Short mmCIF file of all heavy atoms in Angstrom, two decimals:
data_model
loop_
_atom_site.label_atom_id
_atom_site.label_comp_id
_atom_site.label_asym_id
_atom_site.label_seq_id
_atom_site.Cartn_x
_atom_site.Cartn_y
_atom_site.Cartn_z
N LYS A 47 -5.08 12.43 0.21
CA LYS A 47 -5.95 11.50 0.96
C LYS A 47 -5.45 10.13 1.02
O LYS A 47 -4.95 9.70 -0.07
CB LYS A 47 -7.39 11.56 0.44
CG LYS A 47 -8.08 12.85 0.48
CD LYS A 47 -9.50 12.85 -0.14
CE LYS A 47 -10.08 14.15 -0.04
NZ LYS A 47 -11.44 14.26 -0.84
N GLU A 48 -5.67 9.54 2.12
CA GLU A 48 -5.12 8.17 2.28
C GLU A 48 -5.56 7.11 1.26
O GLU A 48 -4.89 6.38 0.67
CB GLU A 48 -5.31 7.60 3.73
CG GLU A 48 -4.73 6.25 3.99
CD GLU A 48 -4.82 5.79 5.30
OE1 GLU A 48 -5.74 6.05 6.05
OE2 GLU A 48 -4.04 4.82 5.62
N LEU A 49 -6.94 7.22 0.87
CA LEU A 49 -7.41 6.34 -0.04
C LEU A 49 -6.93 6.60 -1.41
O LEU A 49 -6.64 5.63 -2.23
CB LEU A 49 -9.08 6.38 -0.03
CG LEU A 49 -9.65 5.76 1.10
CD1 LEU A 49 -11.31 5.91 0.91
CD2 LEU A 49 -9.42 4.35 1.22
N ASP A 50 -6.64 7.86 -1.74
CA ASP A 50 -6.13 8.24 -3.06
C ASP A 50 -4.68 7.69 -3.12
O ASP A 50 -4.25 7.12 -4.13
CB ASP A 50 -6.12 9.76 -3.28
CG ASP A 50 -7.54 10.12 -3.53
OD1 ASP A 50 -8.34 9.56 -3.90
OD2 ASP A 50 -7.67 11.50 -3.20
N LEU A 51 -3.95 7.90 -2.07
CA LEU A 51 -2.59 7.42 -1.90
C LEU A 51 -2.54 5.78 -2.14
O LEU A 51 -1.75 5.21 -2.90
CB LEU A 51 -1.91 7.79 -0.60
CG LEU A 51 -0.47 7.25 -0.47
CD1 LEU A 51 0.41 7.81 -1.55
CD2 LEU A 51 0.02 7.47 0.84
N LEU A 52 -3.46 5.10 -1.52
CA LEU A 52 -3.47 3.51 -1.65
C LEU A 52 -3.71 3.27 -3.10
O LEU A 52 -3.08 2.26 -3.56
CB LEU A 52 -4.48 3.01 -0.73
CG LEU A 52 -4.31 3.21 0.81
CD1 LEU A 52 -5.51 2.72 1.68
CD2 LEU A 52 -2.96 2.33 1.21
N GLN A 53 -4.47 3.91 -3.77
CA GLN A 53 -4.87 3.56 -5.20
C GLN A 53 -3.68 3.94 -6.11
O GLN A 53 -3.31 3.12 -6.92
CB GLN A 53 -6.09 4.25 -5.67
CG GLN A 53 -7.28 3.76 -5.02
CD GLN A 53 -8.54 4.47 -5.45
OE1 GLN A 53 -8.63 5.65 -5.44
NE2 GLN A 53 -9.66 3.74 -5.75
N ILE A 54 -2.88 4.97 -5.79
CA ILE A 54 -1.74 5.37 -6.50
C ILE A 54 -0.67 4.31 -6.27
O ILE A 54 -0.01 3.87 -7.23
CB ILE A 54 -1.33 6.81 -6.11
CG1 ILE A 54 -2.13 7.90 -6.50
CG2 ILE A 54 0.16 7.01 -6.59
CD1 ILE A 54 -2.02 9.13 -5.96
N LEU A 55 -0.53 3.89 -5.03
CA LEU A 55 0.52 2.86 -4.87
C LEU A 55 0.19 1.58 -5.39
O LEU A 55 1.07 0.90 -6.01
CB LEU A 55 0.64 2.78 -3.11
CG LEU A 55 1.26 3.83 -2.45
CD1 LEU A 55 1.17 3.62 -0.96
CD2 LEU A 55 2.69 3.99 -2.86
N ALA A 56 -1.03 1.19 -5.37
CA ALA A 56 -1.48 -0.06 -6.14
C ALA A 56 -1.12 -0.07 -7.48
O ALA A 56 -0.56 -0.92 -8.10
CB ALA A 56 -2.95 -0.30 -5.80
N ASP A 57 -1.52 1.13 -8.20
CA ASP A 57 -1.13 1.23 -9.58
C ASP A 57 0.38 1.28 -9.80
O ASP A 57 0.79 0.70 -10.73
CB ASP A 57 -1.78 2.64 -10.18
CG ASP A 57 -3.20 2.56 -10.25
OD1 ASP A 57 -3.82 1.52 -10.23
OD2 ASP A 57 -3.75 3.72 -10.36
N HIS A 58 1.02 2.05 -8.99
CA HIS A 58 2.56 2.05 -9.00
C HIS A 58 3.21 0.63 -8.90
O HIS A 58 4.15 0.37 -9.62
CB HIS A 58 2.99 2.98 -7.86
CG HIS A 58 4.42 3.11 -7.81
ND1 HIS A 58 5.26 3.59 -8.76
CD2 HIS A 58 5.32 2.72 -6.77
CE1 HIS A 58 6.57 3.67 -8.27
NE2 HIS A 58 6.53 3.03 -7.13
N LEU A 59 2.63 -0.13 -8.10
CA LEU A 59 3.18 -1.55 -7.90
C LEU A 59 2.58 -2.51 -8.84
O LEU A 59 3.07 -3.69 -8.84
CB LEU A 59 2.96 -2.05 -6.47
CG LEU A 59 3.64 -1.31 -5.32
CD1 LEU A 59 3.07 -1.54 -3.86
CD2 LEU A 59 5.16 -1.48 -5.43
N GLY A 60 1.51 -2.19 -9.56
CA GLY A 60 0.93 -2.96 -10.44
C GLY A 60 0.15 -4.17 -9.85
O GLY A 60 0.08 -5.23 -10.39
N ILE A 61 -0.54 -3.82 -8.84
CA ILE A 61 -1.35 -4.77 -8.17
C ILE A 61 -2.72 -4.18 -8.00
O ILE A 61 -3.00 -2.95 -7.88
CB ILE A 61 -0.85 -5.28 -6.68
CG1 ILE A 61 -0.55 -3.95 -5.85
CG2 ILE A 61 0.58 -6.07 -6.92
CD1 ILE A 61 -0.15 -4.32 -4.51
N PRO A 62 -3.88 -5.03 -7.81
CA PRO A 62 -5.13 -4.54 -7.49
C PRO A 62 -5.29 -3.97 -6.13
O PRO A 62 -4.61 -4.43 -5.20
CB PRO A 62 -6.05 -5.69 -7.81
CG PRO A 62 -5.10 -6.93 -7.65
CD PRO A 62 -3.83 -6.46 -7.99
#
Side-chain angles (χ1 to χ4, degrees):
K47 292 177 185 173
E48 186 175 16
L49 288 179
D50 292 338
L51 180 63
L52 292 173
Q53 290 177 314
I54 290 165
L55 289 171
D57 290 343
H58 176 64
L59 294 170
I61 57 173

